[in-house]
Amino acid sequence: MASERIRWPAVVDRAREIAKSYEGGVTLRQVMYRLVSEGALPHTAPMYRRLSAQLGKARREGRFPGLIDTVREIHVPPAWPGADRFVAEMPGWFRLDRTEGQEHALYVAAEKDTLRQQLTGWLAYAGIPVLVVRGFGSQSHADVVRNRVTAGPRDAVLLVVGDFDCSGEDVERDRVARTGCWIRTERMLLTYEQVRA
């Protein structure tokens, strides 16, 4: 599919529908993957950049909703206008461990950061930790994960969400080997059966 034949107004309209269908927001990469899976765009780096430019233009013109940007953040320490406001907000932070009493501690690992917002949005209410591994992560991060898991009172199970490709499987193998703290791991998405269905 040559870029000359791409009808960008139709692609932007479909991308808008996709973005609005996600509760809690969506990333540009998720929109791109959906458009590729539908045959609307080829899966190339130049096409990803072109989609980014088209959606950015539509956003500036008020024709497209905001997308989740998991990389660029404003890092500001928390502050309050006074002690009264701080004390008033504290009860909203209180949370009991919702997993207390469960036989195992459950963790969910996402291979890509594009899923962080959705997974944390879905799992926060249940107190389930989400790990974003972003490929072959550092040993420092593996150590932090292992230390947290082994300090807990229960054995831990890891559920994995990742791409169905060789690198995705190798990232999973590497992460499990370097943390070495799980009694069981299970790939939830994507599996061979899901891809072939």
Side-chain angles (χ1 to χ4, degrees):
M1 172 186 317
S3 63
E4 302 82 62
R5 289 185 252 156
I6 293 173
R7 296 180 46 239
W8 283 107
V11 169
V12 170
D13 286 345
R14 178 62 186 132
R16 183 183 315 102
E17 291 171 3
I18 291 169
K20 287 183 175 182
S21 74
Y22 281 78
E23 182 178 320
V26 66
T27 65
L28 175 64
R29 186 169 301 279
Q30 288 171 301
V31 172
M32 175 69 175
Y33 285 158
R34 290 278 303 272
L35 292 169
V36 168
S37 71
E38 294 174 6
L41 294 177
H43 188 235
T44 65
M47 193 54 59
Y48 180 80
R49 290 189 294 273
R50 181 79 175 158
L51 176 65
S52 177
Q54 290 289 327
L55 298 186
K57 179 177 184 283
R59 176 79 176 132
R60 287 186 294 278
E61 294 170 353
R63 300 182 294 114
F64 200 84
L67 295 172
I68 297 171
D69 186 339
T70 59
V71 178
R72 294 160 192 89
E73 297 178 21
I74 300 173
H75 300 276
V76 180
W80 293 264
D84 290 347
R85 183 66 152 299
F86 173 72
V87 170
E89 289 184 18
M90 283 176 36
W93 298 347
F94 180 77
R95 175 180 296 211
L96 293 172
D97 179 1
R98 292 182 183 241
T99 67
E100 187 176 337
Q102 298 294 317
E103 182 178 354
H104 298 103
L106 179 63
Y107 287 74
V108 174
E111 180 187 349
K112 300 275 182 7
D113 195 37
T114 57
L115 296 174
R116 176 172 36 122
Q117 186 74 25
Q118 286 178 306
L119 289 173
T120 56
W122 293 335
L123 300 173
Y125 81 95
I128 298 172
V130 175
L131 310 172
V132 178
V133 296
R134 291 181 172 173
F136 294 94
S138 69
Q139 185 59 47
S140 297
H141 187 257
D143 292 344
V144 167
V145 169
R146 182 179 56 251
N147 292 341
R148 184 184 197 285
V149 170
T150 57
R154 296 166 282 164
D155 291 332
V157 174
L158 178 67
L159 302 180
V160 180
V161 177
D163 291 345
F164 181 71
D165 57 20
C166 293
S167 68
E169 289 185 14
D170 199 41
V171 165
E172 179 182 346
R173 178 209 53 77
D174 175 72
R175 181 52 57 134
V176 169
R178 287 198 291 141
T179 53
C181 57
W182 314 104
I183 63 162
R184 191 174 99 238
T185 63
E186 184 176 339
R187 179 173 274 269
M188 301 301 294
L189 297 170
L190 289 167
T191 65
Y192 179 82
E193 291 77 20
Q194 291 166 341
V195 171
R196 297 294 174 219

